[in-house]
Amino acid sequence: MTGGEEKNRLIVDKFKELIGKFSFKPENRQYIIFRAILLCVATLLVSVNWYMFERKENYQIGLPSERTYFALTSARYEDKAATLELRQRAASRIIDVMVQDERIASEVTRRLETLRNGELTQLFNAPLLNVLQKQSSASQKAITDAVVKIGGMVRNESADRDQQTALIWKYLKETSLTQSERNIAFQMLDVLMNPSLLSDDEMLQKLRDDVAAQIPAVIKEIRPGAVLVQKGQVVTPSIARLLASQGYPDAAFPWKHLIFILGAIVIWSFWPVWIASGLRGKLSMREWIYIAVVLSVVWTLEVVFARLGGYSMAVLGLTGWLCLTLPVSLSFHVIFGGGVISVIIAFGSNPGIVCLGCILAAFSGGIGRILFFDPPNHRITIWRNLFFLGLCLGAVSICVHWGLGLYFDYNLALGAVLFSAVWGTIVVALLPLWENVFDVLSPLRLLELSHPSQPLIKRLQMEAPGTYNHVLMVGTLAEAAADRLHMNGLLVRAGAYYHDIGKLKNPQYFVENQRHGKNIHDSLPPELSGRVLISHVKDGLEIAAQTNLPKALRPFISEHHGTTAQKYFYEKAKALGEDVKEDDFRYPGPRPQSRETALVMLADSVEAAIKARNKPFESDKELSDFINQVIRSKVDSHQLNDADFTLKEMSMITEAFMDVFRATYHSREVKDINEIIKEARLKHLGESDKGEDNESADAEKEGERKDEDDNILR
C-alpha cells in the first residue's frame, strides 16, 4: 500500500468514526427521549403562551398599548426623538451656503479696471455713452468714481439680479450724486456687474450635517418602577425599542426567543447526561423520563405563576423532588440548568430576570443538597426544609433586586413567604405520585417499605418467622455500617428487609424456620437441597415483580449471595460419592454491583455465620476475628470486585458490625437469689459483731477519761 493510499484510508476511518459518534445507539435511547420531551414541552409552552396571551396583550408599533408598562431594571438610554428634534432645529438655522464663481468675479474685476482706465467704448453701448458724454467733465468723473466704488462693493455680495439691484440702489442713495446721475450710474453698473455668488446645495447639506452632529445625544435615565408607556398610549418605534430592552416581548411570534430556548436545552442536556455517566448506578429510561416530566411540570407552573403576576420560585419544587429522589451528585446540575431555563421560558430574555434566575437556581441547588443530605423521615420535615429554603431564596432575591437595581417592593417578601409554603405543600403532595408512576425512591417511601405493616414483611412474620428475625438483624447490621460510611442507610435497610422474600415460597427448607432437631434436608439428596436453597433468589425476583416491589430494591435479592457456592451440600454430595460440579451448587448472581448490595451481602453472611456457630465468643477480639474471617472469604472469592470498598472502609464495617453484636448479644448475668440472701445475712452478722466491739472500746475510753479527770483533780 502506497503512502497516498494509507493516508486516504486513515481519512476515511476518521470520517467513519466521526459519523459513528452521531449515529443512533440503543443505549442512548433514554437520552434522546429525555431531550425530545424537553424540546416538545418548551415549544408547546412558548407557543401556547404567545397564542393565548402575548399576541393579545403585547404591544405593536403604531397601535395603542393594551396595558401600562413599568421599568424592571435601571437603564440609561438615548431619547432618539428628542435628539433628532434638537439636531434638526440646529440644522434649520443654516439657510443657504453661497460660493463665489471665480470666473464671473474675475470678469467683473477686469471690467471695473477698464472703466478706471477710461476705456468706456469697450464697455458700454453708444446710447449709454451719448448720455454720459452730455454730462459735464466733473459729473462724468463723479459718476465713474461712484460706479467703480460701488462695483467693488457689490461684486462679492450678490447672488442674483434682484439682490444686486437692491444693493446698487442702496449704495447709490448714500452718494452725493443727483438723481439723474444716479440713473446713469445704475445703468452703467447694470452693464458691468453680474452676480458671482451661487447657492451650493451639496455644501449646504454637509454644513447642516456637521452642525447637527455637534449637538450631543439626549440621554435619559429610568429607575425600576418608572412608567414606560401608559395604557392607551400609541407605541412609537423608540418606545418599542425601550420596551424590548426591558425584556417585554412584542405581539409578533417570538421565533428568536424559541430558537434560543431550544438551543439552550440541547446544549445544557449534555451536562446532566455526562454527570450521570459517572455514577455507580446508571439511571434507567424510566428515571430519565421522570426527570423530564418533573422539569416539564416546573416549567409549566412557572409560566402559569408568571401569568398571574410574578416570579414563583418554582426552583423550590424542582429542588425538593430531585434532591429526594436522585443521587445528590446529579440533582444540583439538573436543578441549576432546569431552573435557569424555566425563567427564560416564563419571562423572556430579560437580562435582570435571567440573572436572578441563575443566582436563585444555583443557591437552591447548593443549599438543597445540604438540607436533604440526611434523608428526612417525616413529611413535615420536608415541608419545613423547603419553607426554610424558600425564605433563604426570598432574602437572596431581595438582595439581588437591590444590587442589580431591579424593581421590587414589600410584595416581594410576602410572595417569598407565600410561595415557600405553597411549593412545600405541592412537593409533599405530589411526591407519592412520582414514586408510584416512575418507581423512584424517596426517603419517605423507603420508610414506608421498611414498616412492619408492609404486606411482604407481614408475610415473613407469619409464614417465615425465622427469616423475618434474620432480615431484621441483617437490616440493623447493614444500616449501622451504611451510616458509618455515609451511605444511604434507609435504602440499605429496606434492601436488607426484602433480600430473602424468596424464602416465602418454601420457608420450611431454610434452617432458621425449622424446629429444633428437625432438618428436612437430612432426607433429601444434597443436589436437590442445593437447588431448593438457590432457587430462593429466582423466587424472590418473581415475588418482587408480582407485588411491584421497586426495581431499586430488586438487586438486593439477586446479588446478596453473588456467585458463591453452597459448600455444605457440595461437600456432602462429594462425600456420598455423587458425580457433581461445584457450579451446580453456585448461585446465579450477579456479584454485588453496588456498595449497598455488597454491604447487605456482608451483613447477611456475618449474621448467618454467627448464628450457625452457636457458641458464645470469649472476647471482642474473637468476635472481631470471626467477622473479618467471614468478610475475607467474600473478598477471596472475588464477590466484592465490583464494589469499591477501601481497607479503611472494611475496618469501619467490622467495627459497626461489632457494635451491633455487642448491643444485641450482650451478657445478662443475674445472681441467684439464695446467694444474695446469704450475702445479706453475712453482712448483717458482721455489722452486729462490729457493734459489740465498738461498745467495749467506748467503755474502755470512758474509764480512761475518768482516770485522767481524777489525776487532774488531784
Side-chain angles (χ1 to χ4, degrees):
M1 183 180 292
T2 64
E5 293 176 345
E6 178 70 17
K7 184 177 180 181
N8 292 334
R9 187 182 64 80
L10 291 175
I11 293 175
V12 171
D13 292 342
K14 288 289 185 182
F15 181 75
K16 290 181 178 179
E17 182 181 353
L18 180 63
I19 295 299
K21 292 181 179 180
F22 295 96
S23 62
F24 174 75
K25 297 179 180 179
E27 61 268 22
N28 295 332
R29 183 175 56 177
Q30 64 267 28
Y31 307 139
I32 297 174
I33 294 176
F34 167 69
R35 295 186 181 101
I37 293 174
L38 296 183
L39 293 174
C40 291
V41 170
T43 303
L44 184 63
L45 287 175
V46 173
S47 302
V48 171
N49 190 38
W50 173 81
Y51 183 79
M52 296 185 64
F53 303 104
E54 291 182 352
R55 72 185 182 93
K56 301 175 182 178
E57 300 175 357
N58 291 346
Y59 61 89
Q60 296 185 54
I61 297 176
L63 296 179
S65 174
E66 295 292 335
R67 62 188 177 96
T68 300
Y69 288 89
F70 297 92
L72 301 176
T73 61
S74 297
R76 290 170 58 86
Y77 72 99
E78 177 187 350
D79 189 340
K80 294 188 177 182
T83 302
L84 181 62
E85 181 181 356
L86 289 177
R87 290 177 176 175
Q88 287 178 345
R89 188 181 303 172
S92 65
R93 295 176 182 174
I94 310 299
I95 298 174
D96 201 356
V97 174
M98 307 302 295
V99 295
Q100 190 177 52
D101 190 333
E102 294 294 336
R103 183 181 57 81
I104 296 175
S106 298
E107 178 63 23
V108 171
T109 301
R110 185 190 65 78
R111 291 175 183 177
L112 292 175
E113 188 64 29
T114 302
L115 177 62
R116 185 180 290 109
N117 294 332
E119 300 175 0
L120 302 180
T121 57
Q122 298 180 10
L123 301 173
F124 306 113
N125 55 23
L128 183 57
L129 287 174
N130 290 332
V131 173
L132 179 62
Q133 291 174 355
K134 290 179 179 180
Q135 302 294 323
S136 62
S137 298
S139 176
Q140 289 182 15
K141 186 175 186 309
I143 292 173
T144 302
D145 292 343
V147 169
V148 172
K149 180 180 179 181
I150 293 173
M153 292 189 299
V154 174
R155 179 180 54 188
N156 297 325
E157 295 184 10
S158 58
D160 53 36
R161 281 288 181 179
D162 293 337
Q163 186 180 11
Q164 187 183 58
T165 301
L167 287 173
I168 290 173
W169 279 113
K170 174 185 175 184
Y171 292 132
L172 284 174
K173 289 178 181 179
E174 296 175 357
T175 63
S176 59
L177 299 176
T178 63
Q179 186 60 40
S180 61
E181 292 174 340
R182 292 175 182 172
N183 290 335
I184 296 171
F186 175 78
Q187 292 182 36
M188 294 173 67
L189 286 169
D190 187 56
V191 172
L192 297 173
M193 305 301 296
N194 282 324
S196 63
L197 297 181
L198 301 176
S199 179
D200 191 333
D201 293 337
E202 182 179 353
M203 186 66 71
L204 174 64
Q205 187 60 43
K206 184 177 180 181
L207 183 59
R208 285 179 174 175
D209 292 342
D210 291 342
V211 171
Q214 294 176 6
I215 304 299
V218 178
I219 303 298
K220 292 186 177 180
E221 185 173 358
I222 56 176
R223 296 291 183 183
V227 176
L228 301 178
V229 59
Q230 292 282 2
K231 182 178 181 180
Q233 180 181 350
V234 176
V235 179
T236 63
S238 60
I239 292 178
R241 286 191 295 270
L242 180 59
L243 293 174
S245 68
Q246 289 287 315
Y248 291 112
D250 58 17
F253 186 82
W255 289 107
K256 185 185 298 184
H257 183 214
L258 177 59
I259 293 173
F260 175 78
I261 290 174
L262 298 182
I265 291 174
V266 171
I267 295 173
W268 165 77
S269 64
F270 287 95
W271 183 8
V273 168
W274 176 69
I275 296 296
S277 65
L279 298 176
R280 294 189 182 95
K282 304 302 180 184
L283 271 64
S284 64
M285 177 182 294
R286 202 170 182 181
E287 289 173 310
W288 280 110
I289 295 176
Y290 160 71
I291 297 174
V293 170
V294 168
L295 286 170
S296 302
V297 169
V298 169
W299 293 351
T300 303
L301 292 176
E302 186 72 275
V303 172
V304 171
F305 281 121
R307 299 306 312 173
L308 296 178
Y311 180 52
S312 67
M313 296 192 300
V315 71
L316 268 178
L318 198 61
T319 302
W321 287 322
L322 297 186
C323 284
L324 290 170
T325 55
L326 290 183
V328 175
S329 56
L330 175 63
S331 60
F332 170 80
H333 307 283
V334 180
I335 293 167
F336 178 70
V340 173
I341 293 175
S342 72
V343 175
I344 298 176
I345 292 175
F347 296 95
S349 54
N350 180 274
I353 301 299
V354 172
C355 180
L356 175 64
C358 291
I359 294 174
L360 293 186
F363 188 86
S364 182
I367 301 299
R369 293 176 64 179
I370 298 173
L371 292 176
F372 294 101
F373 185 80
D374 292 327
N377 52 9
H378 295 288
R379 298 186 187 276
I380 191 63
T381 304
I382 297 176
W383 187 93
R384 185 175 63 246
N385 287 350
L386 288 174
F387 184 75
F388 173 74
L389 178 57
L391 296 182
C392 294
L393 292 182
V396 172
S397 179
I398 292 174
C399 294
V400 172
H401 276 80
W402 175 78
L404 297 181
L406 302 177
Y407 174 65
F408 73 97
D409 55 18
Y410 67 91
N411 290 326
L412 187 63
L414 295 178
V417 176
L418 176 62
F419 283 123
S420 299
V422 169
W423 275 113
T425 304
I426 292 176
V427 168
V428 173
L430 292 184
L431 190 58
L433 175 64
W434 304 139
E435 293 170 345
N436 289 281
V437 173
F438 297 102
D439 196 27
V440 293
L441 288 177
S442 71
L444 297 182
R445 193 179 187 198
L446 289 173
L447 286 171
E448 292 172 356
L449 290 169
S450 303
H451 197 270
S453 63
Q454 288 295 315
L456 285 177
I457 296 181
K458 290 187 71 174
R459 285 187 60 189
L460 283 176
Q461 295 177 27
M462 302 302 297
E463 301 174 27
T467 301
Y468 173 70
N469 291 323
H470 165 69
V471 299
L472 289 183
M473 188 61 189
V474 172
T476 302
L477 289 168
E479 184 178 19
D483 291 341
R484 289 281 184 94
L485 301 179
H486 301 292
M487 294 166 54
N488 190 341
L490 291 177
L491 174 62
V492 170
R493 184 176 67 179
Y497 282 2
Y498 290 91
H499 79 281
D500 266 347
I501 57 174
K503 294 180 179 180
L504 286 170
K505 189 170 183 180
N506 297 299
Q508 71 278 9
Y509 283 89
F510 299 90
V511 65
E512 67 265 23
N513 298 313
Q514 296 171 356
R515 294 182 179 180
H516 182 67
K518 294 183 178 181
N519 191 334
I520 195 172
H521 293 286
D522 292 341
S523 58
L524 292 177
E527 191 173 0
L528 177 60
S529 296
R531 284 201 300 268
V532 171
L533 296 183
I534 292 173
S535 67
H536 85 276
V537 173
K538 178 177 68 68
D539 296 337
L541 293 174
E542 291 176 356
I543 294 173
Q546 294 168 2
T547 57
N548 293 321
L549 191 70
K551 288 185 178 180
L553 298 183
R554 299 182 192 183
F556 291 93
I557 300 173
S558 60
E559 298 173 13
H560 74 277
H561 281 297
T563 57
T564 56
Q566 285 279 354
K567 290 287 188 180
Y568 177 84
F569 292 106
Y570 172 63
E571 296 295 340
K572 181 179 178 181
K574 287 176 61 179
L576 294 176
E578 297 181 7
D579 184 16
V580 293
K581 298 179 180 178
E582 187 176 4
D583 288 342
D584 296 334
F585 295 86
R586 191 177 300 281
Y587 283 95
R591 295 178 305 194
Q593 301 297 302
S594 67
R595 290 158 62 89
E596 288 78 12
T597 55
L599 198 54
V600 170
M601 167 189 271
L602 296 179
D604 179 49
S605 301
V606 169
E607 199 277 339
I610 287 180
K611 275 192 176 179
R613 187 174 186 270
N614 199 21
K615 178 182 177 182
F617 294 95
E618 299 295 335
S619 64
D620 286 348
K621 186 178 185 306
E622 186 180 2
L623 174 60
S624 175
D625 292 342
F626 186 83
I627 294 174
N628 284 324
Q629 182 181 353
V630 175
I631 294 176
R632 175 53 57 186
S633 67
K634 299 301 177 185
V635 174
D636 293 341
S637 60
H638 308 290
Q639 298 303 309
L640 302 182
N641 284 5
D642 298 321
D644 53 349
F645 288 126
T646 64
L647 292 176
K648 182 178 180 181
E649 289 175 332
M650 288 291 193
S651 176
M652 294 171 67
I653 292 172
T654 302
E655 292 175 2
F657 287 174
M658 287 190 61
D659 289 343
V660 173
F661 283 121
R662 288 194 197 101
T664 305
Y665 301 121
H666 62 274
S667 175
R668 296 188 178 183
E669 298 180 359
V670 180
K671 287 186 177 181
D672 186 83
I673 188 63
N674 294 324
E675 293 183 5
I676 296 175
I677 294 173
K678 183 178 180 181
E679 290 178 0
R681 287 177 177 175
L682 292 174
K683 183 178 180 182
H684 179 69
L685 292 174
E687 290 177 351
S688 299
D689 295 339
K690 187 177 180 180
E692 292 177 358
D693 294 340
N694 289 339
E695 289 179 359
S696 301
D698 292 340
E700 292 178 359
K701 289 181 179 179
E702 184 65 24
E704 292 176 356
R705 280 197 299 271
K706 287 182 178 180
D707 292 340
E708 290 178 0
D709 292 339
D710 292 340
N711 292 331
I712 293 172
L713 290 174
R714 289 179 188 153

